[in-house]
Amino acid sequence: MPKVTEEHRVARRQQIVDAARTCVGEQGFHKTTMADVIRESGLSAGAVYGYFKGKDEIVAAIADDALSSVDLLFQEMLAAEGPLTPAAALRKTLDFVVSLAERHGTDVTRIGVQAWAEALHNEVIFATASAKYRMLRGHFVDVVRRAQADGTIAADANPEYVGQVMFGLIPGFILQRLILGDVTPESYSSGLAALLDKP
Amino acid sequence: MPKVTEEHRVARRQQIVDAARTCVGEQGFHKTTMADVIRESGLSAGAVYGYFKGKDEIVAAIADDALSSVDLLFQEMLAAEGPLTPAAALRKTLDFVVSLAERHGTDVTRIGVQAWAEALHNEVIFATASAKYRMLRGHFVDVVRRAQADGTIAADANPEYVGQVMFGLIPGFILQRLILGDVTPESYSSGLAALLDKP
Amino acid sequence: MPKVTEEHRVARRQQIVDAARTCVGEQGFHKTTMADVIRESGLSAGAVYGYFKGKDEIVAAIADDALSSVDLLFQEMLAAEGPLTPAAALRKTLDFVVSLAERHGTDVTRIGVQAWAEALHNEVIFATASAKYRMLRGHFVDVVRRAQADGTIAADANPEYVGQVMFGLIPGFILQRLILGDVTPESYSSGLAALLDKP
Amino acid sequence: MPKVTEEHRVARRQQIVDAARTCVGEQGFHKTTMADVIRESGLSAGAVYGYFKGKDEIVAAIADDALSSVDLLFQEMLAAEGPLTPAAALRKTLDFVVSLAERHGTDVTRIGVQAWAEALHNEVIFATASAKYRMLRGHFVDVVRRAQADGTIAADANPEYVGQVMFGLIPGFILQRLILGDVTPESYSSGLAALLDKP
DNA sequence: AATGAATGAGCGTTCATTCAT
DNA sequence: AATGAATGAACGCTCATTCAT
């Protein structure tokens, strides 16, 4: 039992998650078999089980990744002080979602949609989704609060509720992009602008 | 028990779909086994296979039902001539979604979310989802066109794009309701109103 | 429960056997399902079971028919008194086999081959095959005895043994015809003649 | 138990084929279930499916074995130069068939008869049977050609046709042995001799 | 006599996981 | 640490047969 560096372990783990993500992106959580993941990862069954207790743990790891990814944007976006209108925040988010979707070989948003469904029957993923989305929505609430400070949004509005709506626009964008294939950040943003700009 | 009426056949079929919906609502498409559906339906394996070619066909039937359900609202809503602001249409839709979710023993929106994920890897369900959602979104586009006629929305806006946004708000509502559990038609509508009413 | 004439019963029974023979000729005994037979016969499940106890009985009926068919020839062939050399008897038999095979829509010899296999694991069919083939072989033994009387065959030969050989040529003819497809009564007879006519 | 030698794999495969042959010999191809083969082999379901894609492949393997077995004799018989009369070749073949039948626990000729029936509805087995029997019959044709060189058989006879007859005697021997139970290489050979030796 | 919907045991096969090497 | 052959419970589905009508 030769000892192995921590780096090695991390790299191996990532190798497995990457393989699994590829499989899940192509076939979904349930059609993906451990044999698929093992083959794609280039490791042996025993090795994979040395890093993950079982399929559930791998699925949870992928779902976690996919669910977290949008959050990254906000860390830099909100760090930059200054005015950020809700419309601008949404536009940046949509652009980021698309860039995520087109990155790598696998469309992360497809994994995300899988995760939504999975969350309804899998406690671990439910907890992750719940936490990640509460945090993400919280960022939108922050944006709303800034907008209220700016006077862009009425001061007496409930910022939580406005945050629900802003956050709530994202899943619909992802879904239409995947299933109807005809939404773009431009079309969606301009549609929102038209709704906002009351004549 | 031969020589059975058409009604009987339809009832039996519904019995199976209902049983399957219950199972899928509780466990998801993939964890639901045919044995589950058979047990829940109270029929025998052979009987179930007399009405459906296989599991895929049952899954497609449930997904179809779930995906279609919201459309019903629009048939009456749009039939009523007269002014219908986008905000009002959305509010009515959300109320309807909640009433659907609370109807029966099974929350239809949970099936809907399953169907989104399934559509990404199942051609038949993809086609259904695509068709149903294009139609549903089309109804919102109609509402937008009326609003443009009324002057509620700028005449030079692209109604398709505005329709994308209105339709796009629904999945986010469903998802937050299921995963975060704190959105209501009231909160969501008032959040939207705050966003719309520019000071 | 209306009474039905005996003719009607016989006709119905034949209808079922014919349907079953067609199916078995196309798919073999085991791939043929009762549903196939029921569909092909144009009757209902209940009706079929009114005439036969079950699949085994139908299979036995078909096998019986197929196994019996060659015997018919001998009844007329032997009835005609006069010299009948073994070679001539065999030739007539082969011609008859071919005519049986090409009769109707179904090749009876294919059913026969099925029956050979089935006889090895099915007591009823074994008994039938055993009886029919013993009788058929007996006819050849009669031919041999006549040939011995004529001096065509040595008087001290065991006619049973010669009968084994003559009868034994038939399955090989049937098999080569079905699987190699290149034997004819002519080729086979002339091959036998060449073997017999020692230079 | 990883890292297994090629020998081990071959042995395991044989273990499965042997088990399957035993089952098929007792019950026939169709009554033999995978559960039977699995139980008889002493392996697990998964292990069996690691060596064969499915039941069809196992059936094909057994049929192939059974159909090939007689060919072995000819390789040594024909290797020995020198006169080999058709009658002698046939006698040797019959002896060999009987020795095959009595070898092991399973009578290979029973499997062979199954294979004949199966070939009529199974392309793979048809192809195997066709090839094996064409080759086997070819060996008899070689014997006939030698006999023509020796003057044992008329030079102007078609050796292919004589080969058909010689080969054609085997199935009839096998069948009578299995179904009538009263033929032996001795009785069959002496019957043939009586037919050949024209007074 | 005839119907055909219903039954349910049992089929062939898969796949997450283990453990001797 | 790593291997991969082996496990076996559980899956989706078929089909000979029955029986209320």
Side-chain angles (χ1 to χ4, degrees):
Chain A
M1 308 163 188
K3 294 264 173 162
V4 140
T5 64
E6 182 59 19
E7 287 170 64
H8 182 255
R9 284 198 64 81
V10 169
R12 275 270 191 272
R13 207 184 142 95
Q14 195 55 45
Q15 189 177 348
I16 295 164
V17 171
D18 287 347
R21 190 178 17 243
T22 301
C23 295
V24 170
E26 282 166 7
Q27 326 185 54
F29 281 136
H30 296 279
K31 275 205 63 185
T32 296
T33 67
M34 286 301 285
D36 290 335
V37 175
I38 287 159
R39 191 185 321 106
E40 182 76 25
S41 71
L43 297 174
S44 68
V48 170
Y49 277 87
Y51 292 93
F52 293 91
K53 272 191 179 173
K55 191 180 176 180
D56 285 352
E57 213 171 279
I58 298 180
V59 164
I62 306 169
D64 191 277
D65 267 23
L67 260 12
S68 317
S69 47
V70 194
D71 241 36
L72 299 172
L73 171 69
F74 278 88
Q75 289 170 13
E76 63 179 53
M77 215 160 70
L78 294 176
E81 289 293 326
L84 183 66
T85 64
L90 193 78
R91 174 59 195 264
K92 277 201 163 185
T93 309
L94 298 180
D95 284 333
F96 190 64
V97 163
V98 171
S99 81
L100 281 175
E102 291 171 348
R103 196 146 64 190
H104 309 128
T106 318
D107 182 340
V108 217
T109 66
R110 295 172 71 95
I111 312 282
V113 175
Q114 303 283 326
W116 300 343
E118 205 60 15
L120 302 181
H121 307 291
N122 179 322
E123 284 194 5
V124 176
I125 295 183
F126 181 87
T128 305
S130 208
K132 302 284 182 190
Y133 281 169
R134 206 172 295 278
M135 175 172 293
L136 182 51
R137 197 176 64 179
H139 292 321
F140 279 112
V141 174
D142 289 344
V143 168
V144 173
R145 289 217 172 86
R146 289 197 198 186
Q148 286 180 307
D150 286 2
T152 319
I153 286 184
D156 63 347
N158 182 333
E160 301 284 349
Y161 293 173
V162 184
Q164 287 176 0
V165 172
M166 293 191 65
F167 172 73
L169 282 161
I170 316 289
F173 175 78
I174 291 173
L175 220 48
Q176 288 180 77
R177 189 177 159 277
L178 291 173
I179 290 179
L180 298 176
D182 56 5
V183 282
T184 59
E186 291 75 28
S187 72
Y188 212 64
S189 295
S190 93
L192 181 63
L195 208 55
L196 295 183
D197 291 329
K198 312 203 66 173
Chain B
M1 309 142 190
K3 290 291 188 203
V4 143
T5 62
E6 181 61 18
E7 293 164 58
H8 180 260
R9 284 199 63 81
V10 169
R12 273 270 189 273
R13 203 187 144 97
Q14 195 55 47
Q15 187 177 348
I16 295 163
V17 171
D18 288 347
R21 191 177 17 241
T22 301
C23 296
V24 170
E26 282 166 9
Q27 325 185 56
F29 282 134
H30 295 280
K31 274 205 65 186
T32 297
T33 68
M34 286 304 289
D36 291 334
V37 175
I38 288 158
R39 190 186 320 108
E40 182 74 26
S41 71
L43 296 173
S44 66
V48 170
Y49 280 90
Y51 291 91
F52 293 92
K53 276 191 178 170
K55 189 181 176 180
D56 284 354
E57 211 171 280
I58 298 182
V59 163
I62 305 170
D64 192 275
D65 268 21
L67 259 12
S68 315
S69 47
V70 194
D71 241 38
L72 300 172
L73 171 68
F74 278 87
Q75 288 171 13
E76 61 179 54
M77 215 160 69
L78 294 177
E81 288 294 325
L84 182 67
T85 64
L90 194 76
R91 175 58 196 264
K92 278 201 161 184
T93 309
L94 298 180
D95 284 333
F96 189 64
V97 163
V98 171
S99 82
L100 280 174
E102 289 170 350
R103 195 146 66 189
H104 307 129
T106 318
D107 181 340
V108 217
T109 66
R110 293 172 71 95
I111 313 283
V113 175
Q114 304 282 326
W116 300 342
E118 203 61 13
L120 303 182
H121 305 289
N122 178 324
E123 283 194 6
V124 175
I125 296 185
F126 181 87
T128 306
S130 207
K132 301 285 183 191
Y133 280 171
R134 208 173 293 279
M135 175 172 293
L136 182 52
R137 198 176 63 179
H139 292 321
F140 279 112
V141 173
D142 288 344
V143 169
V144 172
R145 289 215 172 88
R146 290 202 198 183
Q148 287 180 308
D150 287 1
T152 319
I153 286 184
D156 63 348
N158 182 332
E160 302 284 349
Y161 294 172
V162 184
Q164 288 176 0
V165 172
M166 293 191 65
F167 172 75
L169 281 161
I170 317 289
F173 175 78
I174 290 173
L175 219 48
Q176 288 179 77
R177 188 177 160 277
L178 291 173
I179 290 180
L180 299 175
D182 56 5
V183 282
T184 60
E186 292 75 26
S187 73
Y188 213 64
S189 295
S190 92
L192 181 62
L195 210 53
L196 295 182
D197 290 330
K198 310 202 69 173
Chain C
M1 304 167 188
K3 294 260 172 165
V4 140
T5 64
E6 182 60 17
E7 288 169 62
H8 182 256
R9 284 199 62 83
V10 169
R12 275 270 190 272
R13 205 185 143 94
Q14 195 55 46
Q15 189 177 348
I16 294 164
V17 171
D18 288 346
R21 191 178 15 243
T22 301
C23 295
V24 170
E26 282 166 7
Q27 325 184 54
F29 282 135
H30 296 279
K31 275 205 64 184
T32 296
T33 68
M34 286 302 286
D36 290 334
V37 176
I38 289 159
R39 191 185 320 109
E40 182 75 25
S41 71
L43 297 173
S44 68
V48 170
Y49 277 86
Y51 292 92
F52 292 91
K53 273 192 181 172
K55 190 179 177 180
D56 285 353
E57 213 171 279
I58 298 180
V59 163
I62 305 169
D64 191 277
D65 266 23
L67 259 12
S68 317
S69 47
V70 194
D71 240 37
L72 300 173
L73 171 68
F74 278 89
Q75 290 172 11
E76 64 178 53
M77 213 159 70
L78 294 177
E81 288 294 325
L84 182 67
T85 65
L90 193 77
R91 175 58 195 263
K92 277 203 164 184
T93 310
L94 297 181
D95 284 333
F96 190 63
V97 163
V98 170
S99 82
L100 280 174
E102 291 170 350
R103 195 146 66 191
H104 308 129
T106 317
D107 182 341
V108 218
T109 66
R110 295 173 69 95
I111 313 281
V113 176
Q114 304 283 324
W116 300 342
E118 204 60 14
L120 302 182
H121 307 290
N122 178 323
E123 285 195 4
V124 176
I125 295 184
F126 181 88
T128 306
S130 208
K132 300 284 182 190
Y133 280 170
R134 206 173 297 278
M135 174 172 297
L136 182 51
R137 196 175 66 179
H139 292 320
F140 280 110
V141 174
D142 288 345
V143 169
V144 171
R145 288 217 172 86
R146 292 200 198 185
Q148 287 180 309
D150 286 1
T152 320
I153 285 184
D156 62 347
N158 182 330
E160 300 285 348
Y161 294 173
V162 184
Q164 287 176 1
V165 171
M166 292 192 63
F167 171 74
L169 281 161
I170 316 290
F173 175 77
I174 291 174
L175 219 48
Q176 288 180 78
R177 189 178 159 278
L178 291 173
I179 290 179
L180 299 176
D182 55 5
V183 282
T184 60
E186 291 76 27
S187 71
Y188 213 64
S189 294
S190 94
L192 181 62
L195 208 55
L196 295 181
D197 290 330
K198 313 205 65 176
Chain D
M1 310 140 187
K3 289 292 187 204
V4 143
T5 61
E6 181 59 21
E7 292 165 58
H8 179 260
R9 283 199 64 82
V10 169
R12 274 271 189 271
R13 202 188 144 96
Q14 196 56 46
Q15 187 178 348
I16 296 164
V17 171
D18 288 347
R21 187 172 25 236
T22 301
C23 295
V24 169
E26 282 166 8
Q27 325 185 55
F29 283 134
H30 295 279
K31 275 204 63 184
T32 296
T33 68
M34 285 303 288
D36 291 334
V37 175
I38 287 159
R39 190 186 320 107
E40 181 75 25
S41 71
L43 296 173
S44 66
V48 171
Y49 278 89
Y51 290 90
F52 292 92
K53 276 191 181 172
K55 189 181 176 181
D56 285 352
E57 210 170 282
I58 297 182
V59 164
I62 305 170
D64 191 276
D65 268 22
L67 259 13
S68 316
S69 49
V70 194
D71 239 39
L72 299 172
L73 172 68
F74 277 88
Q75 288 171 14
E76 62 179 53
M77 213 160 71
L78 293 176
E81 288 294 325
L84 181 68
T85 64
L90 194 76
R91 174 59 195 264
K92 277 201 162 184
T93 308
L94 298 180
D95 284 333
F96 190 64
V97 163
V98 171
S99 82
L100 280 175
E102 291 171 348
R103 197 146 65 190
H104 307 129
T106 318
D107 182 341
V108 217
T109 66
R110 295 171 71 93
I111 312 283
V113 176
Q114 304 283 325
W116 300 342
E118 202 62 13
L120 302 182
H121 305 289
N122 177 323
E123 284 195 4
V124 175
I125 295 184
F126 181 87
T128 306
S130 206
K132 301 284 183 191
Y133 281 170
R134 207 172 294 277
M135 175 171 294
L136 182 51
R137 197 176 64 179
H139 292 321
F140 280 111
V141 174
D142 289 343
V143 168
V144 172
R145 288 217 173 87
R146 290 198 198 185
Q148 287 180 306
D150 287 0
T152 320
I153 286 184
D156 65 347
N158 182 332
E160 301 284 349
Y161 293 172
V162 184
Q164 288 176 0
V165 172
M166 294 191 63
F167 172 74
L169 281 161
I170 317 289
F173 174 78
I174 290 174
L175 219 48
Q176 288 180 78
R177 188 177 160 278
L178 291 173
I179 290 180
L180 298 175
D182 56 6
V183 281
T184 60
E186 291 74 28
S187 71
Y188 212 66
S189 295
S190 93
L192 181 61
L195 210 54
L196 295 182
D197 291 329
K198 311 200 70 172

